[in-house]
Amino acid sequence: MAITEYEDQIQEIVSKPDHSEFIYDFLGVYDIPRATVTKLRKGMNNLAKEAGAVYLKNKLYFREGTGDLMQDYADLQERVDELGSKPRYLLVTDYQHLLAKDTKTNETLDIEFAKLPQYFDFFLAWNGIEKADFEKENPADVRAAERFAKLYDVVVKDNPDATRKGLNLFLIRILFCLFAEDTNIFEHDLFTNRVKQMTADDGSNFDQFIGSLFGVLDFEKAQRPVDTPSWLNDFPYVDGDLFKDQHESLHFSAKSRKLIIEAGELLKWDQINPDILGSMIQAVASEDSRSHLGMHYTSVPNIMKVIKPLFLDGLREDFEAAKDNEDKLQQLYDRIGRIKFMDPACGSGNFLIITYKELRQLEIDILIELNNIGVSTMYVPSVTLDQFYGIEIDDFACDVTRLSLWIAEHQMNVKLHRQISDAVRPTLPLQHAGAILQADSLSVDWNSIMQVDLNTEAYVFGNPPYVGHSKQTTNQKKMIRKIFTGISGSGYLDYIAGWLELGFRYILGKRAKIAFVTTNSIFEGEQVAILWPHILEKLQIHFAYQSFKWKNNAKGNAGVTVAIVGLQNKNDKIQCHLYGDQGFKCVNHISPYLIEGSDDVVEDLSLPLSPRPEMQFGNKPTDGGGLIFNDEEYNEAISKYPELKRYLRRYVGSDELVKGKRRYVLWLSEHDVKALSNNPLVQSRLDIVRSARLKSGTPSTKQWASKPYMFKQIAPYYKKQSLHGYVVVVPAVSSENREYIPMGYLSNEDTILNNRVYGVFDASLWLFAILQSRMHLVWVDRVGGKLETRYSYSSGICYNAFPFPVLTERKKAELEEYALRILDIREELGGSLADMYGTPCAKTNAKPMNLRLRDAHQALDKAVDRAYRSNNFPDNNSRFELLMSLYKEEQGGISNE
DNA sequence: TATCCGACACGGA
DNA sequence: TCCGTGTCGGATA
């Protein structure tokens, strides 16, 4: 049952004029068998003897109040203490007030009877859910957002012709009123009470009411019309742009009015976290993102990963250093009031809110420290909302950001007063909240939004959207093209690269720094050489978080692995902080691969660095599955049509190569297809291919619908008449948890490689030895592409750009012996490569690599190492350094020719 | 024509 | 529902 349903059902029960059935109705809301409640109603299993009491074994001891509720509660407690087995809950109520106790956690509840719906979770142990767990899963923000989604739906349905802007503004204002009446900005419950008193049950005059109310909130009391009725005049002056625009007339029903009242009565707005609420509310209003409610909001821990290294750690260090020194403290106090902050993809403003709160806390801490050293001055605010800037394309999100900033400000004002009693910052009238601009961030000049001179301390940060090159919309591609004019290969960049580039230009030569949460793919594989060289000519990475899996508290988490990068103008003196799985390291330089090292990048080469057999990309069917047969389909096909056996070849992709999965593929020539024109199975398969290709939006795929019997792309090797010899097969994607990437050395006969493996055809064993070596793995690991954190092998970067050692015939023969040994052991062991190579890092079922196989690999590794240099490599870093210097040497040689 | 990648996709505990 | 690990075909050069 949804949260709102519990609340609604209990609301109905407490609203009944007659409470005689209360406890039975209440139990009925929870997972207590209906039969049990029915029996209880009839008194059959009620173990209590006294009147007005209900004792349900193990679950509840209930008593109606007899006048003095506290005394009744104490009596009940005494009675229960005598019992052998305690009921989980004690509950007494006179239907005005309610006292309850959870005998397991010893938590108590002391509330007005009417507020019971808000506290339904107190009794969730009846459903087997502990309150602590529930609170963790469903904080006040989530519950508020769910309730708001309901209200939004009803209001939208009642107002099909209303503008988005009008609706959104209405919602934001209602949210503000609800928050204000729970947090002493307004008199307690003022808004909800006025709604109840002044509007008709059917909602007919609600619009009029809300129109007058919103109108009044924008005026100071002195400026309001003299005839303003007192029920309106009780509301204070709010301002802050929130109520400036005229309320757009809307239609309300009994239902929407009720939902608003319930939102006021059932939710604990004082417990709202503006950072999370914003994301939730925003998701509610944009229908397209409703399905992944709050999927992309950045969690507070992740925001801290950005802002701490970017500026917060530094400010805190300066604070520590300034303690005991009035001048320094005062300087820091003034400084934090001048720093400017911008999130150019602010969404509902989480980064800005967290930053604002942290700065306000620092302000408080400085004041306390000043007080401690005996300096007491009148409170003058330092940090203000107008230091905060944001750009966001969604107009509602902009409104939510402004609202959330106000909520954050109020919360910090309360905190200030609590910690320093003579310091007061009034929340009303609302402060001007920076510039939160509704715009496409990539098409506006950031300088015109947040103007800074060369000496202004400024920080730009956020979590902009990621879209891979093949998934971008036409408009997104256009923006990236435009921004990266003159950069070759820019069509391959992720959408987020636009933010990196604009951020780079914004801070260039200024006293400003940037840091973003980004998809890790801009630090791996092909994008590195396209994006980073021109940026790192002028800037340096001063801190970074290496890849980690994206996570927040939303229901369906986005599937992506992210990294964090901080950039600033070059400054040789600073130490860089590189954060990885094991905390952080101070290093001299962070490379664009987010490892310690130089800014050298590896390009995606179309030809090998040195003469060697070429690596070919496998065959790509683009067939909608029509040409492919799994084991079962294959057996069925050849038993029904034995003549098909010669056309069905072993189909090898990464899955087949590594896990030993078996699939087959129809491999037909034009001649073959004519011969099979009467075979119904073949014809039905070709129909699948034809229709799948016709459905494609890609013109070239559509064209291939006329040749459904052929793969859309065939590797050059397969265009030869016959297949023979051996091929080194490399899986395009494979797990990073294995000690080696398992590669194959397969006979070519009968084998069709697909587009998820690469092949070096007619290859000698020494080539297999090189590719299977640790030297090569280190290269692939550091500069190759990744799918999340898997290896994503590519011929251009991993093979063509890999510097091969110079090999004598004798050395080749030696390597082949080691390779042969590996192949022999594999054959002896049998089973799949995945079994033999194990998954040593997996948490469960950790399966080690076969020891004999590992020994053979280590012997081969040593032999390959020695082909590069005679002295040992102490570690993989030194292997990589050598490879990178060889690459630069050889690549430089090529481009100078 | 030949890839390199995916705010992923999917099967198994 | 989380965890482990690789499909499939688009868009680019």
Side-chain angles (χ1 to χ4, degrees):
Chain A
M1 189 155 63
I3 292 164
T4 48
E5 286 177 53
Y6 283 104
E7 290 168 344
D8 291 345
Q9 285 189 22
I10 298 169
Q11 181 72 44
E12 211 170 291
I13 294 166
V14 299
S15 308
K16 279 187 186 173
D18 172 19
H19 295 303
S20 58
E21 296 286 299
F22 161 74
I23 196 64
Y24 310 113
D25 293 341
F26 184 61
L27 285 168
V29 173
Y30 295 86
D31 287 350
I32 297 198
R34 185 167 295 223
T36 309
V37 179
T38 310
K39 276 191 207 162
L40 206 59
R41 240 182 249 269
K42 293 178 184 159
M44 287 156 68
N45 50 357
N46 183 359
L47 303 178
K49 302 283 174 282
E50 63 274 27
V54 173
Y55 172 25
L56 179 60
K57 194 160 193 286
N58 295 331
K59 305 278 188 196
L60 168 77
Y61 208 126
F62 166 80
R63 273 187 191 171
E64 281 183 347
T66 54
D68 183 348
L69 208 57
M70 283 313 288
Q71 188 56 49
D72 295 331
Y73 179 78
D75 290 347
L76 180 58
Q77 178 77 62
E78 202 173 310
R79 168 85 182 91
V80 167
D81 286 343
E82 295 163 5
L83 294 170
S85 73
K86 285 193 173 57
R88 179 71 192 252
Y89 294 102
L90 312 186
L91 179 61
V92 292
T93 181
D94 53 9
Y95 308 112
Q96 296 298 320
H97 219 85
L98 183 146
L99 297 172
K101 180 176 176 184
D102 181 335
T103 59
K104 188 169 167 202
T105 64
N106 278 331
E107 281 176 290
T108 54
L109 197 62
D110 178 359
I111 53 168
E112 283 171 43
F113 180 68
K115 298 262 182 200
L116 185 60
Q118 286 181 45
Y119 294 90
F120 77 95
D121 51 331
F122 186 84
F123 300 95
L124 274 174
W126 281 331
N127 291 11
I129 301 167
E130 291 305 321
K131 188 166 176 288
D133 298 337
F134 178 80
E135 278 290 332
K136 220 167 87 189
E137 294 289 308
N138 300 282
D141 325 293
V142 175
R143 293 152 75 170
E146 276 184 15
R147 210 154 253 293
F148 236 76
K150 247 172 140 177
L151 173 63
Y152 186 86
D153 287 341
V154 171
V155 177
V156 166
K157 215 171 135 207
D158 291 349
N159 296 278
D161 300 325
T163 64
R164 259 288 294 274
K165 193 161 171 41
L167 281 171
N168 291 345
L169 205 54
F170 165 74
L171 278 174
I172 290 287
R173 288 169 172 176
I174 291 287
L175 265 171
F176 175 80
C177 292
L178 292 171
F179 177 77
E181 68 169 7
D182 272 9
T183 55
N184 297 324
I185 297 176
F186 290 174
E187 198 182 298
H188 193 64
D189 287 345
L190 179 65
F191 173 73
T192 305
N193 286 339
R194 288 290 186 271
V195 171
K196 279 160 82 176
Q197 295 157 1
M198 306 305 296
T199 63
D201 286 351
D202 63 1
S204 55
N205 64 347
F206 192 86
D207 189 60
Q208 204 186 350
F209 163 84
I210 220 79
S212 342
L213 173 61
F214 288 174
V216 152
L217 292 173
D218 195 35
F219 288 100
E220 290 180 44
K221 290 204 174 177
Q223 291 173 350
R224 291 177 185 172
V226 257
D227 57 350
T228 304
S230 72
W231 66 264
L232 270 180
N233 224 4
D234 291 345
F235 285 92
Y237 169 54
V238 175
D239 185 57
D241 309 336
L242 182 56
F243 293 99
K244 208 159 59 193
D245 291 339
Q246 174 110 35
H247 167 67
E248 193 180 299
S249 185
L250 295 170
H251 178 74
F252 293 92
S253 57
K255 201 167 172 191
S256 47
R257 174 181 176 275
K258 187 163 157 265
L259 284 170
I260 290 168
I261 293 172
E262 283 172 357
E265 291 183 333
L266 300 178
L267 293 169
K268 304 166 199 166
W269 290 93
D270 51 334
Q271 292 174 19
I272 293 292
N273 255 326
D275 46 289
I276 296 172
L277 175 79
S279 319
M280 297 285 169
I281 295 295
Q282 189 207 330
V284 164
S286 36
E287 290 92 17
D288 52 334
S289 59
R290 179 79 71 88
S291 56
H292 38 257
L293 196 97
M295 203 167 156
H296 295 162
Y297 84 85
T298 315
S299 67
V300 176
N302 285 346
I303 291 174
M304 295 311 276
K305 283 180 189 168
V306 175
I307 66 174
K308 272 168 62 80
L310 183 61
F311 55 83
L312 203 54
D313 286 345
L315 289 173
R316 281 284 163 187
E317 273 167 32
D318 292 348
F319 172 57
E320 289 304 317
K323 280 185 174 171
D324 301 331
N325 183 325
E326 185 188 342
D327 282 350
K328 281 189 177 173
L329 285 170
Q330 196 58 53
Q331 273 169 24
L332 185 62
Y333 191 80
D334 295 341
R335 177 180 152 207
I336 60 173
R338 288 193 305 264
I339 308 175
K340 292 186 171 184
F341 302 92
M342 173 161 72
D343 182 348
C346 70
S348 46
N350 318 18
F351 277 85
L352 296 174
I353 290 151
I354 299 294
T355 302
Y356 176 77
K357 285 179 149 186
E358 289 293 333
L359 268 276
R360 284 290 302 269
Q361 187 58 52
L362 181 55
E363 182 191 295
I364 294 171
D365 292 345
I366 296 173
L367 288 171
I368 292 173
E369 191 57 27
L370 279 169
N371 278 342
N372 284 348
I373 61 174
V375 184
S376 62
T377 46
M378 209 178 73
Y379 173 68
V380 181
S382 180
V383 178
T384 51
L385 283 180
D386 59 10
Q387 295 165 252
F388 294 79
Y389 298 80
I391 309 172
E392 169 55 45
I393 195 158
D394 184 307
D395 59 340
F396 186 54
C398 290
D399 289 329
V400 172
T401 299
R402 288 186 203 104
L403 175 69
S404 304
L405 280 168
W406 284 318
I407 291 179
E409 176 174 43
H410 176 69
Q411 291 178 338
M412 292 315 292
N413 290 348
V414 170
K415 202 164 177 190
L416 168 75
H417 185 59
R418 209 164 54 219
Q419 297 197 3
I420 306 168
S421 56
D422 56 356
V424 177
R425 235 206 252 197
T427 297
L428 294 180
L430 296 176
Q431 298 295 305
H432 180 67
I436 308 299
L437 182 76
Q438 190 275 316
D440 174 0
S441 194
L442 295 188
S443 66
V444 293
D445 179 10
W446 295 3
N447 285 298
S448 70
I449 295 158
M450 184 167 84
Q451 288 157 19
V452 292
D453 55 45
L454 294 183
N455 288 316
T456 311
E457 187 175 359
Y459 301 99
V460 177
F461 47 77
N463 176 20
Y466 327 144
V467 189
H469 87 264
S470 65
K471 295 193 172 181
Q472 288 166 19
T473 65
T474 322
N475 206 30
Q476 289 171 331
K477 274 184 293 210
K478 220 166 72 194
M479 288 316 302
I480 292 296
R481 291 289 172 138
K482 200 174 144 205
I483 290 170
F484 288 95
T485 307
I487 302 268
S488 74
S490 64
Y492 288 125
L493 291 172
D494 192 285
Y495 192 40
I496 197 180
W499 274 264
L500 266 304
E501 177 69 19
L502 294 189
F504 152 58
R505 293 183 198 163
Y506 182 82
I507 65 169
L508 193 58
K510 298 196 187 103
R511 203 184 144 202
K513 298 178 184 180
I514 55 176
F516 288 118
V517 181
T518 130
T519 169
N520 66 345
S521 52
I522 62 170
F523 303 106
E524 271 139 13
E526 65 177 353
Q527 293 191 55
V528 177
I530 301 166
L531 176 62
W532 291 105
H534 75 281
I535 294 179
L536 295 179
E537 245 174 61
K538 309 274 174 56
L539 303 182
Q540 71 180 64
I541 298 173
H542 72 274
F543 80 90
Y545 271 85
Q546 293 171 329
S547 296
F548 60 95
K549 199 157 177 56
W550 172 262
K551 199 167 167 47
N552 63 23
N553 288 325
K555 278 173 197 157
N557 258 287
V560 67
T561 296
V562 296
I564 294 170
V565 67
L567 289 159
Q568 65 168 54
N569 286 277
K570 282 201 172 177
N571 175 357
D572 294 337
K573 274 173 261 172
I574 65 148
Q575 279 274 301
C576 304
H577 287 183
L578 182 59
Y579 298 80
D581 293 340
Q582 279 100 36
F584 82 92
K585 274 200 306 194
C586 283
V587 299
N588 288 324
H589 201 87
I590 297 173
S591 92
Y593 295 99
L594 302 190
I595 50 181
E596 181 173 6
S598 73
D599 287 339
D600 296 326
V601 298
V602 175
E603 272 173 271
D604 185 2
L605 303 182
S606 54
L607 290 172
L609 209 50
S610 55
R612 73 184 76 143
E614 64 166 338
M615 178 176 272
Q616 292 186 11
F617 189 74
N619 304 291
K620 186 174 185 178
T622 321
D623 64 339
L627 298 174
I628 296 159
F629 291 67
N630 64 24
D631 240 359
E632 200 180 323
E633 290 164 340
Y634 171 79
N635 288 329
E636 204 182 310
I638 59 167
S639 72
K640 211 165 172 186
Y641 309 103
E643 69 273 22
L644 283 183
K645 193 162 181 183
R646 54 187 282 237
Y647 304 110
L648 286 161
R649 310 287 190 90
R650 279 292 287 275
Y651 183 60
V652 175
S654 295
D655 245 355
E656 288 76 18
L657 176 70
V658 177
K659 295 184 189 152
K661 202 168 124 182
R662 272 218 296 271
R663 282 195 298 174
Y664 300 82
V665 66
L666 259 184
W667 190 256
L668 303 171
S669 69
E670 207 159 333
H671 176 78
D672 297 332
V673 81
K674 275 181 194 140
L676 293 168
S677 60
N678 289 324
N679 184 306
L681 176 61
V682 170
Q683 292 312 312
S684 76
R685 288 306 198 117
L686 296 187
D687 284 343
I688 295 173
V689 180
R690 202 176 289 120
S691 69
R693 287 184 181 168
L694 283 173
K695 266 188 219 140
S696 163
T698 309
S700 64
T701 303
K702 267 208 173 81
Q703 282 170 24
W704 275 88
S706 63
K707 288 187 177 179
Y709 55 91
M710 272 179 89
F711 274 38
K712 190 188 164 195
Q713 286 168 223
I714 296 175
Y717 184 84
Y718 290 83
K719 289 174 181 165
K720 299 206 293 192
Q721 284 300 309
S722 61
L723 306 175
H724 53 79
Y726 282 84
V727 55
V728 176
V729 188
V730 183
V733 171
S734 64
S735 171
E736 76 280 19
N737 287 329
R738 302 192 186 102
E739 288 174 67
Y740 295 91
I741 297 176
M743 299 178 186
Y745 192 68
L746 308 179
S747 159
N748 254 329
E749 315 222 8
D750 220 30
T751 308
I752 304 297
L753 299 189
N754 82 1
N755 63 331
R756 297 317 293 136
V757 291
Y758 293 85
V760 186
F761 296 91
D762 298 330
S764 314
L765 259 180
W766 65 262
L767 191 119
F768 172 77
I770 297 285
L771 295 190
Q772 201 59 98
S773 72
R774 177 142 306 269
M775 281 302 269
H776 190 54
L777 181 64
V778 167
W779 182 256
V780 172
D781 179 53
R782 311 261 167 138
V783 302
K786 299 272 161 50
L787 174 56
E788 301 237 304
T789 46
R790 309 305 93 67
Y791 297 121
S792 181
Y793 199 95
S794 62
S795 56
I797 296 167
C798 300
Y799 181 79
N800 292 342
F802 178 68
F804 267 46
V806 181
L807 299 171
T808 60
E809 289 307 313
R810 210 178 127 192
K811 187 73 188 176
K812 284 181 184 170
E814 186 201 344
L815 292 180
E816 299 206 341
E817 261 176 56
Y818 286 112
L820 208 53
R821 172 139 182 78
I822 289 175
L823 293 176
D824 283 347
I825 294 174
R826 281 187 190 173
E827 197 165 347
E828 254 180 69
L829 292 171
S832 71
L833 290 174
D835 289 339
M836 293 183 252
Y837 282 81
T839 49
C841 300
K843 281 171 197 154
T844 51
N845 294 326
K847 204 173 149 293
M849 181 176 177
N850 177 278
L851 291 180
R852 276 174 62 215
L853 190 57
R854 177 197 274 151
D855 285 346
H857 267 280
Q858 287 175 352
L860 180 136
D861 290 345
K862 272 202 186 114
V864 174
D865 280 355
R866 279 197 303 272
Y868 281 91
R869 77 178 195 200
S870 52
N871 52 330
N872 285 341
F873 293 99
D875 54 21
N876 286 337
N877 288 343
S878 58
R879 287 190 178 87
F880 182 66
E881 268 169 38
L882 176 72
L883 289 171
M884 194 50 128
S885 67
L886 286 173
Y887 166 79
K888 267 167 62 190
E889 222 171 85
E890 295 180 41
Q891 170 66 351
I894 288 174
S895 52
N896 290 340
E897 270 167 28

